[in-house]
Amino acid sequence: MTVADYGEARRSLFKRTLGAVFAVIFVIWVGLTARELIDIGWLQSRNGQAENQLWAHLTRAQVRDKLDAPPAIAAALADLDQLRHIEWKHKGHRTPLSLVQVWHQGQLLAQLGPTLKDRRAPPQEDLYASDDKWLYAEANAPEQELIIRRWQEKPGDWHFSLTGLSYYARPLLYGLPLVMLPVWLLFRLGFGPLRRIGHQIAQRSAKDLSPLPASPYVELAPVVTSVNALMARLQQRLEREREFLLDAAHELKTPLAVIQLNAEALQPPAGEATGLTGRQAGASARLNEGVRRATHTVHQLLALARSGGDQENVDLVEHELVALARDRIVLAAELAHQRGIEVELHAPEECWLRLHRESMGSLIDNLVDNAVKYSPGGSQVQVRIAEEADCVRLSVIDQGPGIPEHLHQKVFERFFRLPGHEQAGSGLGLSIVERAAAQHGATVRLGPGLDGRGLGVSIEFPRRT
């Protein structure tokens, strides 16, 4: 069975579950990254502001005794800035940009700051508060009318840049492919028991309703139990249908036999005048033909019901197949002679095979009967038995109309008859053949007949030890 045999199903539980796992991984990564960025935005701003305040107080302590010497103030600012560079160098980070102003009695005595045109806009010197780009701190000495104003760039901007986002995306981009393979393998192993159950069901024939083996997995146990319960109900229903078919066929046999005897009694002895009008003679002939067909159908139904069991329900015993085939061909000889059809048997002297004699006889009867019935007058039917290394092949080949290839599976259905055929029949012959072959573990194949015309039915019986 291929994937196409499973209908129009296109959605995959495996892919759905795998996608859900990776979606959860992605959502977790987004959540953790967002939390990290929020922490950075708040924590680093707080730490940066504390540092900014500290350097403002240090600046005030360094310049409060140099208010009368602006060059000394500028030198003190340079020394402090050099210490900052050394500190950040030891930290292994770039020194944050800063702007320091020393105000005394409302006048700007000194200022130290980098050139900011190329990197970011300078702080608003008339805005004495922090904004989204700069942190502001000041240290006062009211008794000296001294104010130290200090701006330092707000930390964490790098984390929100393209470079920073690529830094956070790298673990996901590098790690996801490494995670995909083990997760895929684990899911393949996890879904393995489900695939094996599907394979077990797909490999079964339509007649095999035996229960599935119990599953050791808690998740699959309800599925296996439900399928086994369904199979048990189907088995019970088929048994009831088979019993009904047997009972009905047996009940019909007696009244049909009575009708047939009375219909024959109405016929005058051979050589005597019938005394019947043409209409009465026609009605009598049709009555006999109808009874004969009904009786044949009942016998076919009985054969079908008896062949309804599985292979383990019949005892296979060593029999000589060639002799059995010869006996069954003799039974069809009268009909073949009436139609001028020659039936030939091509077989070795002997061929021993383990078989069920009754069902095998029914199989041969139906194959030969169909071949003779559907072959044109004066044609030939061949019955072949060939021994091979691993099987015995029984073939019945005719020169009739054949069966179109697109109907090869359809003809094994009960009561199906090919359209356009006028020969009387019940449509059960090949159904009986298929069931009898299944009882022997054999396979039935349809192909061309003699000289490329007609039908060839080939049945391969495996050799058993």
Side-chain angles (χ1 to χ4, degrees), residues 191-392:
F191 278 86
L194 185 60
R195 287 194 302 273
R196 286 193 290 273
I197 289 178
H199 183 71
Q200 289 174 3
I201 297 175
Q203 294 300 313
R204 292 190 173 203
S205 68
K207 301 177 183 66
D208 186 2
L209 297 178
S210 58
L212 295 172
S215 175
Y217 302 99
V218 175
E219 294 81 5
L220 293 180
V223 176
V224 174
T225 302
S226 299
V227 170
N228 287 342
L230 176 61
M231 288 184 174
R233 292 195 297 271
L234 289 174
Q235 185 67 46
Q236 291 174 359
R237 180 174 178 179
L238 290 174
E239 287 296 328
R240 287 196 297 268
E241 289 183 355
R242 181 170 174 269
E243 290 173 2
F244 170 77
L245 191 60
L246 280 169
D247 293 343
H250 277 293
E251 289 295 324
L252 287 172
K253 282 179 66 178
T254 300
L256 282 174
V258 173
I259 295 173
Q260 185 171 11
L261 287 174
N262 283 278
E264 292 175 354
L266 291 175
Q267 298 293 326
E272 294 185 8
T274 62
L276 301 176
T277 64
R279 183 177 180 182
Q280 291 172 331
S284 177
R286 288 192 296 273
L287 174 62
N288 279 281
E289 176 62 19
V291 171
R292 188 190 67 79
R293 290 179 59 182
T295 303
H296 175 72
T297 300
V298 168
H299 283 288
Q300 291 285 74
L301 287 172
L302 280 172
L304 181 66
R306 290 183 183 126
S307 67
D310 296 330
Q311 179 180 347
E312 57 266 26
N313 294 331
V314 297
D315 294 325
L316 302 181
V317 182
E318 285 285 338
H319 284 286
E320 210 283 286
L321 181 59
V322 177
L324 177 61
R326 189 180 295 112
D327 293 342
R328 309 315 292 189
I329 291 172
V330 170
L331 297 178
E334 182 179 354
L335 177 61
H337 179 72
Q338 291 175 359
R339 305 197 59 198
I341 296 174
E342 182 181 358
V343 181
E344 297 180 354
L345 174 62
H346 298 263
E349 291 294 327
E350 289 185 341
C351 179
W352 290 89
L353 186 67
R354 290 178 60 83
L355 53 85
H356 183 255
R357 186 178 181 84
E358 183 179 354
S359 61
M360 180 63 76
S362 178
L363 180 149
I364 298 173
D365 287 346
N366 279 280
L367 287 179
V368 176
D369 181 69
N370 279 351
V372 171
K373 184 190 300 181
Y374 290 101
S375 294
S379 62
Q380 187 181 68
V381 172
Q382 289 185 2
V383 179
R384 300 174 181 174
I385 298 175
E387 293 187 272
E388 298 184 6
D390 55 349
C391 70
V392 173

